[in-house]
Amino acid sequence: MNHDNHADNPLMDFDLLRKLVVGIGEVSDITGVPQRQIRYWEEKGIIQSYKEGEGTTRKYDYLSIKKILLVKELLDDGFTLDAAAKKVEERMRMINEVFQKLSDR
Amino acid sequence: MNHDNHADNPLMDFDLLRKLVVGIGEVSDITGVPQRQIRYWEEKGIIQSYKEGEGTTRKYDYLSIKKILLVKELLDDGFTLDAAAKKVEERMRMINEVFQKLSDR
DNA sequence: GCATTGATTGTAACAAATCTACAATTAAAG
DNA sequence: CTTTAATTGTAGATTTGTTACAATCAATGC
């Protein structure tokens, strides 16, 4: 009955969007933030990635990348890392909310 | 003036969506199509990926993944690979069009 | 000055992911 | 039972990513 719920609406395929997770090299290319720095932010708990199995590589989704872009922007604006992290938290809460609503239909 | 054109609208960030390109392992996980088979379809010219430099690895974007899902579906429905490929071409033309319009604003 | 702290960067040695190129297998069709 | 389409297997090389340890650099406080 619904064997083609994709492809109809390329705009709204949140299901697929969620699954689009990329490696750290790609994230670095996309955001312009060096891999080393991304790992550092992660150490400090500001950014989060996940691993698909034991002893594998970091994966980042759409929202994590957004977050990295936000942090970068704030740093460029002169905030400290900690201050940027705090500011970004609020922002991400809102984005996540919108995202959630949209992907719930 | 527009130093935060992302984050405002997670729905519409086609800019980021375009850059979200994933490796073949991820594509395989997402679609359920074995890596080997994806490469084979590519050899036959049905699927396309790109490489970011000489001697690097295949990357797939959102639309390529959609395409793979479509081919898979048609094969499951009993079409030949070639027939599926043909059918998918038409479908992708339309999807690309919509996508283009949306990302143009 | 100079020691402290926050932020970043460098790199070696190892592990995971992917690549190509060759060949084998399987199923359907004539 | 041979042909063709489609898929799968795999070795050996290359690319990408990992951790852990240490070095650098700038700002701040004493």
Side-chain angles (χ1 to χ4, degrees):
Chain A
M1 208 147 257
N2 64 333
H3 65 306
D4 63 349
N5 47 355
H6 57 268
D8 304 298
N9 196 339
L11 174 64
M12 291 289 191
D13 202 339
F14 279 88
D15 223 53
L16 180 47
L17 184 51
R18 260 176 212 295
K19 291 180 189 154
L20 272 191
V21 298
V22 310
I24 196 169
E26 201 52 48
V27 177
S28 179
D29 287 348
I30 292 172
T31 61
V33 179
Q35 299 187 18
R36 193 67 186 71
Q37 198 167 10
I38 296 171
R39 291 200 193 93
Y40 173 68
W41 291 355
E42 205 164 332
E43 262 177 43
K44 302 220 61 178
I46 295 170
I47 294 302
Q48 33 281 135
S49 68
Y50 76 96
K51 304 195 174 185
E52 299 188 327
E54 281 303 302
T56 61
T57 60
R58 274 169 253 257
K59 298 289 178 187
Y60 300 84
D61 64 9
Y62 180 88
L63 288 178
S64 309
I65 296 172
K66 283 237 161 224
K67 196 166 178 182
I68 292 171
L69 286 169
L70 275 176
V71 171
K72 179 195 165 131
E73 220 170 68
L74 290 172
L75 288 191
D76 287 348
D77 278 2
F79 287 90
T80 29
L81 231 201
D82 286 345
K86 220 169 184 183
K87 238 173 167 357
V88 161
E89 274 321 309
E90 296 172 45
R91 195 78 185 266
M92 289 308 293
R93 254 198 302 280
M94 289 178 37
I95 294 180
N96 271 292
E97 211 176 290
V98 176
F99 202 76
Q100 190 58 46
K101 276 182 194 162
L102 288 170
S103 74
D104 286 350
R105 233 176 215 285
Chain B
M1 206 146 257
N2 64 332
H3 65 305
D4 64 350
N5 48 354
H6 57 267
D8 305 297
N9 195 338
L11 175 62
M12 291 288 190
D13 202 339
F14 280 88
D15 223 54
L16 180 47
L17 183 51
R18 260 175 214 295
K19 292 181 189 153
L20 265 194
V21 297
V22 311
I24 196 169
E26 203 50 50
V27 176
S28 179
D29 287 349
I30 293 172
T31 62
V33 180
Q35 298 188 18
R36 193 64 187 74
Q37 197 167 12
I38 295 172
R39 291 200 195 94
Y40 172 69
W41 292 356
E42 206 163 331
E43 263 177 44
K44 303 219 62 179
I46 295 169
I47 293 301
Q48 34 282 134
S49 68
Y50 76 96
K51 303 194 174 184
E52 299 187 326
E54 282 303 303
T56 60
T57 60
R58 275 169 253 257
K59 298 290 177 186
Y60 300 84
D61 64 10
Y62 179 88
L63 289 178
S64 308
I65 296 171
K66 284 237 158 222
K67 195 166 179 180
I68 291 170
L69 286 168
L70 275 176
V71 171
K72 180 196 164 131
E73 221 171 67
L74 291 173
L75 288 191
D76 287 349
D77 277 2
F79 288 90
T80 348
L81 231 202
D82 286 344
K86 221 168 182 185
K87 237 172 170 357
V88 161
E89 274 321 308
E90 297 171 42
R91 196 79 184 264
M92 288 308 293
R93 253 197 302 281
M94 290 179 36
I95 293 179
N96 271 291
E97 210 176 291
V98 177
F99 203 76
Q100 190 59 46
K101 277 183 194 161
L102 288 169
S103 73
D104 285 349
R105 236 173 211 295

